[in-house]
């Protein structure tokens, strides 16, 4: 690659830097070699930074976050270069779905492991008090094979949980990421100061022998799910895997017409609803949960919308000069208004809310100016959600929108084995459909904000 040519080979490849010595300011031949190999995967060498080689993040992260090239970097300690070269020589492949890498020739799979919770303890601390059940007696514990781990600080070296696999089953290890995983599955950071950030951790699966990537992924899927479940229930350590960043995940949320001026608040909003509205934006990594948070805002205003509709209908009936208190039919009409308001289904309440409280022109603008392609069409990525067609003259647009929002809500909250929804599977996190929810989240956000605006005048 072109950047490498500006550095001369360092005489004495692999030479260590003493405590009071200045780090080498040129690339070694080994470092040049790995820089060239990584460039073929879109991971570019940027510069030397103290005892680190700075590389660009995996292009998948840059595309998803729309970062400027070089604004962040992945800092590889120069001491890990030899270990990285060994991994590269065996052939590193990206996991097909999850944030992870595979080395089929070694029967090796490595997945990013992240701890649940916004303010959770670092993963290294979470597993520091855990020990394997039974003393491991495998090729790793015997010293025959050492799984690669980056030395990124004392926490990384201290916290390792290695669990031996049974006959034909892979060993499992939670430890700091390997050099290859550091470059492939971490999004980068502005500076290399390792003391100020949590060490990235991974779950490593080492099978007894070489295995094709698809077979490893298939076997790992259930094993990892079971392992994380037991860590949660038995040990109180709540972990998750992560899907590769998706451009669909936040689609639509950046298209709002936002103001550049902040003002003293003029909108009066219920504190709980403000919390839900804000929470929806804080969980965009879990699109179904984000969608449900906006839906809960809508739910909060169901009773007010139903009551307002019933009162308006009652007012019309009672204001009708032909209304008679002694006429049985007139009284029954009044009674039915009350019954409908009390016995309304959730889907009909949502229809009423949107028809009553959301300005029709705002919905029309959303679909006309959104550039959503076929997302809301029959061929869209969300199964069983219904279509929205602004040219449909038979069904009001507000009704189409309400029905779609409600169907998506059902797919998220109802279990797969519920017979009422057996024709459409549950919409789960960590799925392609979840990543494609962006436009529907944007729609739910618009509806929630519109209902809050309407509440100011009620």
């Amino acid at each position: 690659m072109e950047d490498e040519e500006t550095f001369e080979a360092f005489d004495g490849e692999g030479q260590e830097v003493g405590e009071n010595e200045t780090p080498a300011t040129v690339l070694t031949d080994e470092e040049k070699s790995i820089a060239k190999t990584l460039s073929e995967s879109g991971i570019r060498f940027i510069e030397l930074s103290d005892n680190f080689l700075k590389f660009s993040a995996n292009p998948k992260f840059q595309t998803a976050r729309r970062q400027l090239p070089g604004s962040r970097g992945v800092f590889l300690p120069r001491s890990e270069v030899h270990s990285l070269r060994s991994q590269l020589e065996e052939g590193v492949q990206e996991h097909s779905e999850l944030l992870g890498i595979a080395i089929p020739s070694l029967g090796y799979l490595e997945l990013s492991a992240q701890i649940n919770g916004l303010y959770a303890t670092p993963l290294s601390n979470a597993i520091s008090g855990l020990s394997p059940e039974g003393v491991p007696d495998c090729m790793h514990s015997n010293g025959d094979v050492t799984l690669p781990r980056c030395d990124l600080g004392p926490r990384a070296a201290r916290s390792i949980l290695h669990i031996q696999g049974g006959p034909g089953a892979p060993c499992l290890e939670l430890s700091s990421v390997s050099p290859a995983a550091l470059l492939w599955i971490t999004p980068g950071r502005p500076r290399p100061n390792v003391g100020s950030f949590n060490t990235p951790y991974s779950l490593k699966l080492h099978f007894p022998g070489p295995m094709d990537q698809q077979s490893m992924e298939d076997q790992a899927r259930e094993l990892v799910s079971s392992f994380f479940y037991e860590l949660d229930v038995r040990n109180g350590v709540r972990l998750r895997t992560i899907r590769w960043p998706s451009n669909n995940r936040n689609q639509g949320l950046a298209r709002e017409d936002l103001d550049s001026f902040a003002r003293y608040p003029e909108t009066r909003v219920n504190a709980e609803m403000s919390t839900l509205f804000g929470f929806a934006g804080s969980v965009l990594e879990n699109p179904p949960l984000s969608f449900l948070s906006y839906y809960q805002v809508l739910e909060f205003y169901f009773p007010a919308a139903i009551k307002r509709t019933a009162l308006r209908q009652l007012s019309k009936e009672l204001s009708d000069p032909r209304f008679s208190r002694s006429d049985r039919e007139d009284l029954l009409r009044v009674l039915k208004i009350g019954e409908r308001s009390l016995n309304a289904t959730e889907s009909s309440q949502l229809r009423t809310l949107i028809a009553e409280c959301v300005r029709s022109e705002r919905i029309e603008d959303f679909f006309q100016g959104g550039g959503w392609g076929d997302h809301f069409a029959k061929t869209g990525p969300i199964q069983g959600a219904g279509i929205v067609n602004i040219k449909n003259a038979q069904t009001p647009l507000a009704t189409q929108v309400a029905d779609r929002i409600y169907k998506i809500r059902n797919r998220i909250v109802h279990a797969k084995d519920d017979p009422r929804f057996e024709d459409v599977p549950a919409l789960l996190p960590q799925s392609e459909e979840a990543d494609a929810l962006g436009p529907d989240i944007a729609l739910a956000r618009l509806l929630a904000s519109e209902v809050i605006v309407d509440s100011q005048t009620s």
Side-chain angles (χ1 to χ4, degrees):
M1 59 188 293
E2 295 180 1
D3 289 349
E4 305 159 23
E5 301 305 321
T6 61
F7 296 89
E8 296 181 358
F10 175 60
D11 292 331
E13 185 174 335
Q15 177 177 327
E16 295 184 359
V17 179
E19 184 177 349
N20 298 318
E21 296 181 41
T22 302
T25 56
V26 292
L27 290 178
T28 66
D29 286 338
E30 186 176 38
E31 290 167 345
K32 285 185 176 183
S33 176
I34 66 166
K36 182 177 181 180
T37 301
L38 290 169
S39 69
E40 296 171 358
S41 298
I43 301 173
R44 301 176 298 102
F45 172 74
I46 298 175
E47 63 181 0
L48 282 169
S49 179
D50 297 326
N51 285 313
F52 296 88
L53 300 177
K54 181 180 179 181
F55 291 89
S56 65
N58 188 320
K60 289 188 174 182
F61 290 107
Q62 292 178 333
T63 300
R65 295 187 174 208
R66 294 177 175 83
Q67 297 172 343
L68 294 175
S71 61
R72 296 169 68 93
V74 179
F75 294 86
L76 177 76
R78 299 186 80 174
S79 59
E80 300 294 337
V81 166
H82 183 71
S83 178
L84 173 61
R85 186 179 70 173
S86 298
Q87 288 186 285
L88 294 177
E89 288 176 347
E90 292 291 343
V92 176
Q93 305 293 328
E94 293 179 348
H95 192 285
S96 62
E97 298 178 6
L98 302 178
L99 212 60
I101 61 171
I103 305 180
S105 63
L106 299 177
Y108 178 83
L109 196 65
E110 183 172 358
L111 304 174
S112 175
Q114 296 190 22
I115 198 159
N116 286 327
L118 194 58
Y119 304 107
T121 183
L123 202 159
S124 55
N125 292 348
I127 66 171
S128 61
L130 298 181
S131 301
E133 188 176 63
V135 179
D137 182 18
C138 59
M139 56 184 171
H140 309 103
S141 60
N142 294 335
D144 297 334
V145 178
T146 301
L147 294 178
R149 315 175 191 111
C150 272
D151 183 5
L152 298 174
R155 288 177 297 177
R158 185 168 59 245
S159 300
I160 298 171
L161 178 63
H162 186 92
I163 298 179
Q164 178 182 348
C171 287
L172 306 175
E173 180 175 294
L174 282 169
S175 57
S176 61
V177 293
S178 71
L182 179 69
L183 290 163
W184 256 274
I185 69 175
T186 61
R189 53 184 287 100
R191 295 174 300 279
N193 50 325
V194 296
S196 65
F197 75 105
N198 294 334
T199 299
Y201 262 62
S202 63
L203 173 64
K204 303 173 177 69
L205 297 89
H206 195 189
F207 292 83
M211 184 180 295
D212 68 272
Q213 182 173 340
Q214 190 59 55
S215 296
M216 283 196 295
E217 291 184 9
D218 291 343
Q219 290 192 35
R221 186 174 293 110
E222 184 175 347
L223 178 59
V224 172
S225 298
S226 299
F227 181 49
F228 283 2
Y229 172 77
E230 289 205 0
L231 281 176
D232 187 344
V233 174
R234 287 168 51 89
N235 311 113
V237 178
R238 299 168 178 86
L239 303 181
R240 70 182 189 277
T241 54
I242 304 293
R243 288 176 61 84
W244 285 105
S246 168
N247 289 327
N248 293 326
R249 183 169 294 166
N250 297 336
Q251 182 186 2
L253 300 186
R255 302 183 183 185
E256 295 178 277
D257 184 15
L258 303 176
D259 203 315
S260 59
F261 295 99
R263 72 180 187 186
Y264 198 83
E266 298 178 8
T267 305
R268 299 186 63 181
V269 58
N270 178 280
E272 288 81 3
M273 292 307 97
S274 177
T275 299
L276 273 175
F277 197 93
F279 180 73
S282 70
V283 291
L284 290 177
E285 293 300 314
N286 187 339
L289 185 56
S290 180
F291 180 91
L292 283 181
S293 295
Y294 286 127
Y295 186 88
Q296 283 183 287
V297 175
L298 299 176
E299 272 188 317
F300 178 82
Y301 292 98
F302 282 178
I306 296 300
K307 180 180 179 181
R308 191 166 75 185
T309 300
L311 287 174
R312 186 176 66 251
Q313 292 173 344
L314 282 172
S315 178
K316 285 182 179 181
E317 288 290 338
L318 297 177
S319 300
D320 188 341
R322 294 166 295 183
F323 176 80
S324 172
R325 291 185 179 88
S326 60
D327 189 302
R328 177 182 176 85
E329 293 301 320
D330 288 352
L331 293 175
L332 282 175
R333 279 199 303 273
V334 171
L335 182 61
K336 287 179 180 178
I337 292 173
E339 289 177 341
R340 282 198 300 268
S341 66
L342 290 174
N343 301 321
T345 63
E346 186 167 344
S347 60
S348 66
Q349 291 183 70
L350 181 58
R351 283 185 175 187
T352 299
L353 178 73
I354 294 177
E356 285 283 329
C357 305
V358 179
R359 291 169 288 183
S360 58
E361 60 269 22
R362 292 299 305 275
I363 301 179
E364 292 171 2
D365 290 345
F366 177 88
F367 288 101
Q368 290 174 345
W372 307 118
D374 64 353
H375 181 87
F376 294 97
K378 188 175 182 180
T379 56
I382 311 300
Q383 298 181 46
I387 65 175
V388 177
N389 182 2
I390 60 175
K391 297 180 180 180
N392 184 345
Q394 297 180 337
T395 306
L397 183 58
T399 300
Q400 296 180 59
V401 168
D403 290 348
R404 181 180 178 91
I405 293 293
Y406 185 67
K407 287 177 180 178
I408 293 176
R409 174 261 184 199
N410 283 345
R411 286 204 54 203
I412 295 173
V413 302
H414 290 296
K416 186 179 294 186
D417 59 355
D418 190 322
R420 294 177 299 165
F421 307 100
E422 59 185 5
D423 55 328
V424 181
L427 202 163
L428 301 172
Q430 301 279 322
S431 67
E432 291 184 10
E433 280 191 297
D435 283 345
L437 270 178
D440 291 288
I441 293 173
L443 176 58
R445 174 183 170 87
L446 169 68
L447 299 176
S449 62
E450 277 289 293
V451 169
I452 291 173
V453 168
D454 180 80
S455 71
Q456 306 302 299
T457 60
S458 300

